[in-house]
């Protein structure tokens, strides 16, 4: 399977590395595992856990890079990164465009609808 290369998304003091499924050699770089259905929106608990992780991580280490992965790095991962961008002040449309500039094919119609309806929690 031909998967896209990892890309970095930076906004303010946040950096994200969007990638696909890690190898055994890189698996130890990932500390959390929050599975949800491919092509779906994340459950509320995952969103809350994700935002709490980012709040802690970016307060403790401003400018650090958070690696985010899913099988292909085109749906679930970009949704989580888009949520972070929206939470920290970016408009939904701008977040989607920003991610798609670096990750062509990211986000399906169901995920786009979810992001359009999403309201920041922080």
């Amino acid at each position: 399977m031909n998967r896209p290369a990892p890309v970095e998304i930076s906004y303010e003091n946040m950096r994200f590395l969007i990638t696909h499924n890690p190898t055994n050699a890189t698996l130890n770089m990932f500390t959390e595992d929050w599975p949800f259905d491919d092509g779906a929106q994340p459950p509320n608990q995952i969103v809350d856990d994700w935002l709490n992780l980012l709040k802690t991580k970016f307060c403790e280490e401003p400018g650090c890079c958070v690696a985010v992965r899913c099988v292909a790095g085109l749906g679930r991962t970009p949704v989580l990164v888009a949520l972070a961008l929206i939470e920290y002040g970016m408009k939904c449309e701008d977040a989607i465009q920003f991610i798609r500039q670096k990750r062509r094919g990211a986000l399906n119609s169901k995920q786009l609808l979810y992001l359009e309806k999403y309201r920041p929690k922080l």
Side-chain angles (χ1 to χ4, degrees), residues 62-109:
C64 71
C65 187
V66 175
V68 191
R69 60 93 180 162
C70 61
V71 174
L74 293 172
R76 291 168 285 194
T77 294
V79 164
L80 292 176
V81 172
L83 290 175
L85 297 175
I86 293 166
E87 283 288 341
Y88 287 90
M90 192 178 277
K91 291 181 182 177
C92 175
E93 301 81 21
D94 295 337
I96 292 165
Q97 181 181 357
F98 192 60
I99 290 168
R100 283 182 162 175
Q101 284 174 346
K102 297 202 176 202
R103 198 70 162 177
R104 277 186 52 207
L107 304 165
N108 67 28
S109 59

Side-chain angles (χ1 to χ4, degrees), residues 14-64:
M14 300 182 299
R15 292 174 44 227
F16 300 95
L17 179 67
I18 295 178
T19 187
H20 53 73
N21 221 9
T23 65
N24 286 338
T26 61
L27 191 59
N28 65 342
M29 294 169 44
F30 297 93
T31 59
E32 302 292 339
D33 189 21
W34 297 316
F36 60 97
D37 292 339
D38 191 17
Q41 66 190 44
N44 289 334
Q45 187 60 56
I46 288 177
V47 172
D48 292 344
D49 291 346
W50 168 244
L51 296 176
N52 286 330
L53 172 84
L54 297 182
K55 187 176 172 184
T56 301
K57 204 66 182 144
F58 292 132
C59 284
E60 289 175 357
E61 299 177 54
C64 71

